[in-house]
Amino acid sequence: MGELNIPETIGVMILPSCTLFPHGALPLRIFEERYKEMLNDALEGDPLIAIGASLDDPTGLPELDSAPVGTVGLIRACVRDEDLGGQLILHGVMRVKFVEWLDGKSYPRARIEPIMNTPLKEGSDAEERLRAVVELHTLSMPEEIGMLFRTFLQKCDDPHIFADLVCHHLLQDPEVRQHALEIEKTEDRLNFLEGIVLD
């Protein structure tokens, strides 16, 4: 992942109630003609596409239909259909801003700007507080699932990845998920998640 080059422009799937987080996985079935073209272009070049959450009342114009922040995903597995659609697993790589929507393709395509991780404030305990809240939350899960989830998160020692994994696995409401994706500072995201998971 560290050697993955993120292109300046990328094809974007604009999907209702769908938010992909970095380090999360998203299964997709490609059947629309425009997205078949996008998949083919990605597989012939950089195997990357972005996911943008669609807003209400789509207009058919990407700049009006998509939320301003999405996630670039790496195609980790793909099985093509006879009609060149397919099923794939997309692995979230990086949150990005859609800064300009481009013409020239049948599918939405955008110039993107990466949103980089930000360090926590010196002496911050935001990660530790969230870990404690998540630990309590897992006690309400079925025992085996809670134990597996705790073990999974304990192995993650990076606050940025930890925050995104909590977002991916514990946030259910599409609007809350999208809001969390758009929080640029990791510290702010950790604090936001503490309140949400407590609820």
Side-chain angles (χ1 to χ4, degrees):
M1 285 297 179
E3 298 178 358
L4 192 64
N5 291 319
I6 305 298
E8 293 183 359
T9 64
I10 195 167
V12 184
M13 289 192 74
I14 302 175
L15 302 173
S17 303
C18 183
T19 302
L20 173 65
F21 287 94
H23 311 287
L26 179 66
L28 292 170
R29 179 172 174 264
I30 306 298
F31 59 90
E32 289 186 49
E33 291 300 324
R34 58 179 178 159
Y35 290 140
K36 289 179 187 178
E37 181 184 354
M38 183 190 68
L39 176 60
N40 191 64
D41 287 352
L43 293 176
E44 288 184 351
D46 296 312
L48 300 163
I49 60 176
I51 298 296
S54 68
L55 305 176
D56 294 336
D57 302 321
T59 65
L61 300 172
E63 62 270 26
L64 299 180
D65 288 350
S66 175
V69 173
T71 300
V72 170
L74 173 68
I75 300 172
R76 295 300 298 266
C78 180
V79 178
R80 303 300 297 272
D81 297 333
E82 290 183 3
D83 62 358
L84 296 183
Q87 299 183 57
L88 57 90
I89 299 293
L90 201 63
H91 179 90
V93 173
M94 175 179 286
R95 53 176 42 81
V96 295
K97 293 179 182 178
F98 302 124
V99 296
E100 182 183 7
W101 293 94
L102 308 170
D103 297 326
K105 293 288 186 179
S106 65
Y107 55 84
R109 191 167 60 98
R111 186 167 60 84
I112 56 175
E113 179 180 294
I115 298 176
M116 307 306 292
N117 289 326
T118 57
L120 302 187
K121 297 174 183 176
E122 186 176 352
S124 170
D125 65 348
E127 181 185 2
E128 288 74 17
R129 294 200 319 270
L130 179 58
R131 284 187 182 275
V133 168
V134 171
E135 181 90 13
L136 286 175
H137 181 78
T138 62
L139 297 178
S140 64
M141 298 178 178
E143 184 176 356
E144 185 175 350
I145 294 175
M147 183 176 63
L148 287 172
F149 192 62
R150 286 192 297 273
T151 301
F152 173 62
L153 290 180
Q154 285 167 2
K155 292 180 179 179
C156 174
D157 58 3
D158 182 301
H160 315 292
I161 298 175
F162 173 69
D164 282 330
L165 289 175
V166 171
C167 289
H168 178 73
H169 290 286
L170 295 187
L171 300 185
Q172 302 298 321
D173 183 274
E175 291 186 6
V176 173
R177 287 174 64 86
Q178 182 62 33
H179 178 72
L181 184 73
E182 294 181 11
I183 297 174
E184 294 194 14
K185 293 183 178 180
T186 303
E187 180 116 18
D188 293 343
R189 196 176 310 120
L190 289 164
N191 291 329
F192 171 76
L193 288 170
E194 181 185 3
I196 290 295
V197 176
L198 273 174
D199 291 342

